[in-house]
Amino acid sequence: MVYASLLPVFAGVALASSSELSFTMFGFLTAMGSNFAFVSRNVLATKFGKAGDMGDDQQTRKTNQLAVLTMVAAAVLFPVCLFIPGGLTSIPSAWAGAMKAGVSAGKLTSLLVASGFYFYMYQLSSFWVLSCVPPITHSVLNTLKRVVIIIVSIIVFRTPVTVQSACGTATAIGGVLLYSLTKSYYAKKAKESK
């Protein structure tokens, strides 16, 4: 029942995302593939968290584990990035477009470095949270983060809201609440049976 309670979360995010003006099936499928890879990484990182010599304390282990996973992912995905649309082959044209828009090379380089640093720190903090909560809870929190991003973009960028997008966002938030209540109920029931 706990796993079944996740369905409204996924349905709500899919419903809210599909009404976007820039929606494409390729983008949707790659986002779903990203979600699947994210959840798989979390489950495997938790399952194999004690494997190997990654450090003595929990934070050192998670930091080293993330570093190894990042290097392996970069090696595996490098060939893929050569062939997908918008991949590595489009860097020269994107760089030239930024220069034409008036962004200096130094500013663009500093923005790219800062973006990489902040994303790595986000991943690191995500791994630390993963060491404290179960993988499914972590994944639900990640999905809720996307709903919050949609709401913030509506407020900050004054993005027009369709009925479908509002229904999807409400469904996803309700799904997170349902998941929390269901998980709490079954955890309490399991404690009582012991």
Side-chain angles (χ1 to χ4, degrees):
M1 289 305 293
V2 174
Y3 293 132
S5 70
L6 293 172
L7 292 175
V9 177
F10 301 133
V13 171
L15 187 64
S17 301
S18 65
S19 67
E20 289 294 316
L21 297 175
S22 59
F23 176 81
T24 63
M25 190 51 74
F26 176 75
F28 177 76
L29 292 175
T30 54
M32 290 301 112
S34 171
N35 289 336
F36 178 75
F38 178 81
V39 171
S40 299
R41 183 200 71 182
N42 292 345
V43 170
L44 292 173
T46 301
K47 184 173 182 146
F48 298 113
K50 305 284 186 223
D53 183 20
M54 291 283 192
D56 295 329
D57 64 359
Q58 186 73 354
Q59 285 187 339
T60 304
R61 290 182 71 80
K62 286 298 175 189
T63 303
N64 292 340
Q65 189 180 30
L66 177 62
V68 169
L69 284 173
T70 301
M71 288 184 277
V72 169
V76 169
L77 291 176
F78 182 77
V80 175
C81 290
L82 289 174
F83 300 109
I84 62 170
L88 294 175
T89 55
S90 65
I91 289 175
S93 61
W95 188 273
M99 295 299 112
K100 284 182 187 174
V103 179
S104 69
K107 176 76 171 168
L108 187 57
T109 302
S110 67
L111 288 173
L112 288 171
V113 169
S115 175
F117 172 75
Y118 290 130
F119 185 73
Y120 187 80
M121 294 309 291
Y122 157 72
Q123 292 294 329
L124 187 59
S125 62
S126 174
F127 251 57
W128 287 343
V129 170
L130 182 60
S131 69
C132 301
V133 298
I136 297 294
T137 302
H138 188 264
S139 298
V140 169
L141 290 172
N142 184 57
T143 303
L144 182 61
K145 173 195 73 177
R146 293 165 194 232
V147 173
V148 170
I149 289 171
I150 291 170
I151 292 170
V152 169
S153 72
I154 289 168
I155 295 168
V156 172
F157 300 115
R158 306 207 192 299
T159 306
V161 181
T162 64
V163 174
Q164 181 180 347
S165 179
C167 288
T169 303
T171 302
I173 291 171
V176 170
L177 176 63
L178 177 65
Y179 167 78
S180 299
L181 294 173
T182 306
K183 185 174 178 195
S184 174
Y185 172 76
Y186 282 104
K188 184 179 176 183
K189 206 170 181 182
K191 280 184 180 179
E192 289 173 359
S193 66
K194 288 180 181 181

